Amino acid sequence: MNLSVPSQNVFHGLGALTNRELKKWYKDPFALFMSIIQPVLWIGLFGKAMNIGGLFPGASAMMQQVFGTTDYFSFMAVGMFSFVVVFTTMFSGMSFVWDRRLGFLNKVLSTPVSRTTIIVSKMCAAVIRATSQALVVLLIALALGLRFGPGFHPINLLGVLAVLFLMAGGLSSLFITIAIRTTRWETHMAVMNLLNLPLIFASNALFPIQAMPGWLQVIARANPVSYATEASRQLLLYPADAHKILTDFIFLGVFALVFITAGIVLSWRYLTR
Amino acid sequence: MPEEIIRAEGLSRYFGKAVLAVDNVSFGVFQGEIFGFLGPNGAGKTTTINMLTTVLKPTTGSARICGFNVLKQAREVRSCISVVPQEYTADEDLTGYENIMLCASLYSIPKNVAKQRADELLHLLALESASGRRVETYSGGMRRRLELASGLINRPHVLFLDEPTLGLDMQTRAAVWGYIRLLKEQYGMTLFMTTHYLEEADSLCDRVGIIDRGKLIKLGSPAELRAALGGDVMEIEIEDKGTDISEMLSELPKVQVVGKDGNKYRLKLTDGEEVAVEVIGSIHNHGHKVLRMSLTKPTLGDAYLELTGREMRDEQEGADQSWKRRLTMRRARG
Ligand SMILES: Nc1ncnc2c1ncn2[C@@H]1O[C@H](COP(=O)(O)OP(=O)(O)OP(=O)(O)O)[C@@H](O)[C@H]1O
Ligand SMILES: [Mg+2]
């Protein structure tokens, strides 16, 4: 018996799988609302209620030195982008574990869709979702009083978009790579919780690195979240230092590349068990 | 001899070092037949399907489907098969229609062709009115029919059905059986199914493999498996004249006397229906009168229990598998 098999594009099915993932989010108003409300609450509570600037009236020189701006709200709102990206991409690993548990993954594995496409669709969905949520947070922060720095130019927004893309791509790949062999979501959840706190708090997302104890500074300086946040602040709040921005982008680029590659290579090895 | 569309050669699969889920299994499935794997929980049915459908790699051995090697030509194999897994895999958050269309894009079926096929399948499986609803709201029977529809969207040459009626009520089960027969008869599809329901294997399958603890222990048509038990059992009671007719009965062809209790005899016959008439005839010719007689044919169940033993299996399934099973059963109840 001889059958001719239609030749297929390596990435066929990518759009459909990505869209499946995104539909769960954009077709469910409650999920959409919940995914936005959390960072907004954080901005409101941390940025407005804990008005650090207000604690030291007249100490704007010190604020400037520690935070790079006198406006803690803006400092912290930009940090929230990273927060949003970390927590959104975390779900890409989670949804992978669920797909395995519910049998959907096995079903897809028995179709001609390539292993790479399965992984990449998760990454794409996470990147699109994380980036758009971060942009919504930016809009809300603007409405609540975020002020751009003196060196800001609208073109810088494209830079921020690129930062978000790289950070989301790298982080989602990291989380998916961790999830690739996991069958129990409890295990995955535990690992995620272990990772999330240092990713957020051992970074400059909420608090400047210089003010941290030495050992924490070491971690924070290796943390991709720090570079992403630093780059976004440079682009939006600070008088954009080209050299710093370049360093941040190189670090983020390498981070994203390494983990995206790792995810894809592991998918060849481990998806068919 | 019809062509073999599936050929498995020495398939084995270990999980870890200790669990041998499938143990050196070889068999062939002919083009256009319904082939069933019958076995208790944990026998290795799903693991075999997973290896045939390129989801799991065999530890040793190999298989060919539609002439393609499952290890070396996985992509070709995948494009001529389709699987309806044991679990309900449709996405709860999408509608029935969206689920079918998602499957279609996984096989890169052009949109317009996919739409037309989806409509046909929704009609065939009586899901038209529910196609726009989220799967979350479906009953067990509807979910199973949706899984079937998704599995048929690529017009597979071989369709794998893993416990297609698990947890369904009798009506829905009968309907699913109807669809399975239709696929064979109208579309000439080859079906590989697993089940642990005997009557399902008996009434649907052209050939059945009995699998237990990873080993394929018997393979044949349901009738052959029954016959392997040694034939039908006839019990007769004759008018009591104090004579023993055992010897005369034993001399009849295809008859074996296996027991006598006063004027009651217990015989084993091959080709029960025909031989029974002759038996009664010769008893009359010898001047005896038959008072009562019964003929029982062994069921596939008897064959099955004789081969797999009667003790229940303590499922050694992992937490993950038992969780999946509970979820499937819960959803089947709707
Ligand atoms: N991923 C896995 N990891 C470890 N052991 C496994 C795995 N999958 C299956 N097994 C084991 O392999 C054996 C066969 O399992 P399989 O699922 O193939 O059985 P089955 O015949 O489909 O049973 P059921 O009727 O319960 O579905 C079982 O002992 C099971 O515990
Ligand atoms: Mg099974």
Side-chain angles (χ1 to χ4, degrees):
Chain A
M1 170 157 194
N2 254 318
L3 297 164
S4 64
V5 175
S7 68
Q8 278 150 346
N9 169 353
V10 213
F11 278 116
H12 88 270
L14 180 62
L17 284 175
T18 308
N19 195 234
R20 160 186 179 253
E21 210 80 31
L22 290 174
K23 261 185 190 164
K24 289 174 185 297
W25 168 64
Y26 68 74
K27 277 182 99 181
D28 182 353
F30 184 70
L32 203 60
F33 175 74
M34 286 308 287
S35 63
I36 304 293
I37 195 72
Q38 196 189 16
V40 169
L41 277 177
W42 273 73
I43 300 184
L45 288 176
F46 261 81
K48 284 287 183 204
M50 294 202 182
N51 187 355
I52 296 187
L55 282 180
F56 311 105
S60 62
M62 191 192 86
M63 283 294 290
Q64 180 69 41
Q65 200 196 351
V66 175
F67 294 102
T69 165
T70 53
D71 173 16
Y72 180 71
F73 177 76
S74 300
F75 175 89
M76 126 92 198
V78 174
M80 255 321 114
F81 298 173
S82 307
F83 183 95
V84 171
V85 171
V86 169
F87 277 88
T88 312
T89 50
M90 185 182 101
F91 283 104
S92 53
M94 206 58 177
S95 78
F96 204 83
V97 177
W98 275 111
D99 279 358
R100 190 185 276 295
R101 271 212 102 160
L102 294 174
F104 181 81
L105 184 64
N106 275 5
K107 167 96 202 170
V108 179
L109 285 173
S110 73
T111 69
V113 169
S114 78
R115 271 52 181 159
T116 309
T117 303
I118 298 176
I119 296 286
V120 174
S121 74
K122 290 274 177 203
M123 295 175 189
C124 286
V127 168
I128 293 173
R129 198 174 148 172
T131 310
S132 41
Q133 282 182 196
L135 291 179
V136 172
V137 170
L138 171 64
L139 289 179
I140 294 175
L142 276 173
L144 289 178
L146 181 138
R147 270 170 289 136
F148 291 128
F152 176 78
H153 185 276
I155 204 98
N156 289 8
L157 284 175
L158 285 182
V160 173
L161 203 63
V163 168
L164 293 173
F165 255 78
L166 289 175
M167 175 164 55
L171 284 174
S172 62
S173 309
L174 168 69
F175 293 140
I176 292 166
T177 308
I178 293 170
I180 242 172
R181 294 278 278 180
T182 316
T183 49
R184 292 167 53 84
W185 67 266
E186 295 91 334
T187 319
H188 188 71
M189 202 61 191
V191 177
M192 289 297 104
N193 282 335
L194 210 64
L195 271 176
N196 279 329
L197 285 183
L199 273 174
I200 290 295
F201 289 99
S203 81
N204 59 357
L206 302 174
F207 209 65
I209 293 187
Q210 308 89 279
M212 293 175 180
W215 60 272
L216 197 56
Q217 287 199 16
V218 176
I219 303 176
R221 287 193 202 287
N223 186 346
V225 172
S226 298
Y227 291 83
T229 317
E230 168 68 20
S232 301
R233 287 202 183 115
Q234 286 289 348
L235 289 162
L236 296 178
L237 307 179
Y238 304 159
D241 175 336
H243 180 70
K244 276 191 177 149
I245 295 177
L246 189 67
T247 323
D248 293 335
F249 264 98
I250 291 176
F251 187 94
L252 277 177
V254 171
F255 166 72
L257 198 69
V258 165
F259 280 97
I260 292 173
T261 315
I264 292 174
V265 170
L266 287 178
S267 74
W268 295 334
R269 257 189 85 88
Y270 287 126
L271 272 182
T272 308
R273 295 189 295 164
Chain B
M1 200 70 172
E3 235 184 316
E4 272 186 355
I5 195 162
I6 300 179
R7 180 76 233 171
E9 236 17 285
L11 280 183
S12 297
R13 170 71 199 206
Y14 274 96
F15 287 108
K17 287 218 158 57
V19 184
L20 180 53
V22 175
D23 184 1
N24 194 19
V25 164
S26 304
F27 60 91
V29 175
F30 299 122
Q31 166 101 56
E33 77 172 335
I34 303 182
F35 184 93
F37 253 16
L38 175 67
N41 288 145
K45 304 182 293 293
T46 302
T47 307
T48 307
I49 286 205
N50 283 343
M51 290 191 287
L52 292 176
T53 56
T54 75
V55 172
L56 275 179
K57 286 201 185 94
T59 310
T60 56
S62 183
R64 296 183 83 77
I65 296 182
C66 301
F68 300 117
N69 186 303
V70 291
L71 285 168
K72 298 189 193 104
Q73 294 162 299
R75 199 176 66 87
E76 286 83 353
V77 169
R78 287 177 199 137
S79 58
C80 60
I81 63 166
S82 178
V83 192
V84 178
Q86 190 168 337
E87 304 97 39
Y88 296 107
T89 56
D91 196 311
E92 301 261 303
D93 299 322
L94 306 185
T95 66
Y97 185 75
E98 286 171 332
N99 266 294
I100 296 182
M101 293 304 279
L102 171 63
C103 271
S105 19
L106 301 183
Y107 289 97
S108 25
I109 300 167
K111 267 268 150 36
N112 52 338
V113 181
K115 275 203 176 106
Q116 194 190 337
R117 284 192 197 172
D119 288 341
E120 274 170 37
L121 287 168
L122 287 167
H123 176 74
L124 173 72
L125 293 160
L127 282 171
E128 282 155 313
S129 58
S131 66
R133 262 165 46 196
R134 281 154 59 100
V135 174
E136 212 173 34
T137 67
Y138 280 26
S139 73
M142 291 162 77
R143 281 166 196 264
R144 193 47 85 184
R145 293 193 324 259
L146 178 63
E147 296 289 332
L148 267 174
S150 309
L152 291 169
I153 193 78
N154 67 325
R155 307 239 165 111
H157 294 269
V158 184
L159 180 66
F160 290 87
L161 297 162
D162 198 357
E163 305 204 20
T165 60
L166 182 70
L168 299 180
D169 63 24
M170 211 43 233
Q171 286 82 349
T172 318
R173 193 185 294 180
V176 171
W177 290 357
Y179 297 127
I180 293 175
R181 289 203 184 91
L182 182 84
L183 292 175
K184 171 191 150 101
E185 280 152 22
Q186 282 203 4
Y187 300 93
M189 206 174 273
T190 308
L191 291 108
F192 182 107
M193 62 181 282
T194 72
T195 180
H196 53 223
Y197 296 122
L198 293 151
E199 68 276 21
E200 188 161 295
D202 204 355
S203 72
L204 273 181
C205 298
D206 297 307
R207 287 189 312 140
V208 179
I210 294 180
I211 181 170
D212 189 27
R213 298 196 167 97
K215 285 199 172 67
L216 186 57
I217 46 186
K218 203 91 193 174
L219 179 67
S221 69
E224 282 165 359
L225 294 181
R226 277 195 295 267
L229 271 189
D232 311 337
V233 174
M234 183 179 186
E235 285 178 321
I236 48 176
E237 187 180 340
I238 58 167
E239 210 172 36
D240 199 357
K241 288 182 181 169
T243 41
D244 186 349
I245 58 165
S246 300
E247 201 165 319
M248 166 241 139
L249 288 172
S250 301
E251 277 161 16
L252 294 169
K254 297 185 178 178
V255 179
Q256 211 190 331
V257 180
V258 291
K260 174 179 183 301
D261 174 20
N263 55 339
K264 290 183 192 152
Y265 297 83
R266 195 176 153 85
L267 317 174
K268 259 198 172 176
L269 318 175
T270 30
D271 300 332
E273 287 92 342
E274 291 154 38
V275 178
V277 180
E278 289 167 32
V279 170
I280 292 168
S282 20
I283 294 173
H284 270 283
N285 292 346
H286 281 77
H288 297 279
K289 192 171 166 196
V290 177
L291 296 178
R292 232 172 247 114
M293 83 94 158
S294 72
L295 183 68
T296 35
K297 305 183 85 51
T299 61
L300 189 58
D302 296 327
Y304 175 75
L305 288 175
E306 185 161 315
L307 289 164
T308 59
R310 275 173 204 275
E311 85 278 21
M312 276 195 298
R313 293 302 147 75
D314 284 330
E315 290 177 43
Q316 327 150 329
E317 48 187 6
D320 185 42
Q321 279 191 309
S322 65
W323 181 88
K324 264 188 192 168
R325 173 175 305 278
R326 283 200 308 277
L327 184 73
T328 305
M329 296 296 273
R330 202 159 54 226
R331 286 179 175 171
R333 273 183 246 118

